[in-house]
Amino acid sequence: MEKQRKKYEILSGSTLKLIALITMFIDHAGAILLSQMKFAVTPFFVLSSEKISLYYIFRLIGRTAFPIFCFLIVEGFIHTKNTKKYGRNLFIFALISEIPWNLVHTGTVFCESQNVFFTLFLGWLALYCIQNFSENKVKLLLSLLFVVISGILLNSDYGLYGVGLIIALYLAKNNRIIQGVVGCCFFSKPWKVIPAFAMINLYNGERGFIRSKTAKYIFYAAYPVHFIILFIIRSLCFGYN
């Protein structure tokens, strides 16, 4: 059975990152650009209660991205040589990404919600607390309470659901099937994230082709940069709505 499973574990961490990036870009292209186009939001047909349009298809594809990012946070936390530096990088890129995030959502440098890097950072912080304070229940409870309060105040993308998903994936780290089943429960329409967890089950545990520091930071930078690109395209084509 184990050999049979290994046969299908064909996706490296780098491949999962690339899939997450591409599906994220498709999702945000739908939300930021296609949402402005009448033909794109006009349904082709209705399937059950779902109005299937080009916009809907783009957003559906995008549901694959976030679960994979959360899984990669868990893998990064487990395998990184410097846990604190890993968390620091997440926080720095959360700050860097904030203005691009605000621009696409409000057209200004201010927005009531924060970008998903803050959610990923809080997820990392929760794992750090679990790892370091597991022997001290009071410290663990207080530190996780701090994470929860921070999540509420920040109002970041996916919020506490995202943080909870990261924790759940970490606690189930030794069983990918359980990760998938539990992970799907965090979404109101679980069937939309089945492709994400199917790909996670194809993960082979290898780092893959993203190895250098430069490549790693390009991966981080892709998040704010793609928002800037989409904001410029929308501003040129539609103005800001």
Side-chain angles (χ1 to χ4, degrees):
M1 180 66 73
E2 186 65 22
K3 288 183 179 180
Q4 187 73 10
R5 178 177 174 80
K6 290 289 184 182
K7 177 181 177 181
Y8 296 101
E9 292 179 346
I10 58 175
L11 300 181
S12 68
S14 298
T15 304
L16 285 177
K17 286 180 182 179
L18 190 58
I19 291 171
L21 278 177
I22 292 171
T23 53
M24 177 190 72
F25 185 85
I26 291 171
D27 181 38
H28 292 162
I32 297 167
L33 300 179
L34 294 188
S35 61
Q36 309 295 311
M37 305 176 187
K38 185 176 180 179
F39 81 89
V41 299
T42 302
F44 303 131
F45 57 89
V46 177
L47 182 63
S48 184
S49 61
E50 306 289 337
K51 297 180 180 179
I52 311 301
S53 63
L54 185 60
Y55 167 81
Y56 177 91
I57 293 170
F58 270 54
R59 300 307 306 276
L60 179 61
I61 293 171
R63 298 312 94 203
T64 297
F66 186 68
I68 294 179
F69 280 127
C70 290
F71 174 77
L72 293 172
I73 289 294
V74 172
E75 284 295 296
F77 180 84
I78 293 171
H79 297 294
T80 185
K81 295 179 181 178
N82 190 327
T83 305
K84 290 183 179 179
K85 184 177 180 182
Y86 184 49
R88 183 202 68 186
N89 288 340
L90 290 171
F91 183 68
I92 289 173
F93 275 91
L95 296 176
I96 292 172
S97 302
E98 192 58 18
I99 289 180
W101 166 270
N102 293 345
L103 286 173
V104 297
H105 284 84
T106 66
T108 71
V109 295
F110 301 103
C111 185
E112 292 181 356
S113 62
Q114 275 66 54
N115 69 83
V116 78
F117 256 116
F118 281 106
T119 303
L120 300 179
F121 169 73
L122 289 176
W124 167 87
L125 185 58
L127 300 189
Y128 184 84
C129 294
I130 292 170
Q131 183 185 72
N132 289 276
F133 303 140
S134 58
E135 301 300 320
N136 189 321
K137 303 304 179 186
V138 175
K139 280 188 176 181
L140 179 60
L141 180 62
L142 291 176
S143 60
L144 290 179
L145 181 61
F146 171 78
V147 171
V148 170
I149 293 173
S150 299
I152 293 171
L153 294 176
L154 282 172
N155 189 30
S156 55
D157 196 20
Y158 286 97
L160 293 179
Y161 287 102
V163 176
L165 176 59
I166 291 171
I167 294 173
L169 293 177
Y170 177 74
L171 295 177
K173 59 183 178 293
N174 295 322
N175 192 313
R176 301 257 177 80
I177 294 176
I178 293 178
Q179 280 185 323
V181 172
V182 174
C184 285
C185 294
F186 279 83
F187 297 87
S188 59
K189 295 183 178 180
W191 62 271
K192 291 186 176 183
V193 295
I194 288 176
F197 288 106
M199 292 179 196
I200 287 170
N201 268 269
L202 299 178
Y203 174 56
N204 60 17
E206 301 293 329
R207 179 183 295 183
F209 53 86
I210 299 176
R211 291 182 175 273
S212 69
K213 287 186 178 180
T214 300
K216 180 178 71 173
Y217 287 119
I218 288 174
F219 168 72
Y220 280 128
Y223 183 74
V225 168
H226 95 284
F227 274 135
I228 293 172
I229 292 171
L230 290 173
F231 174 73
I232 291 172
I233 293 173
R234 184 178 65 184
S235 298
L236 291 174
C237 296
F238 310 107
Y240 178 77
N241 294 315

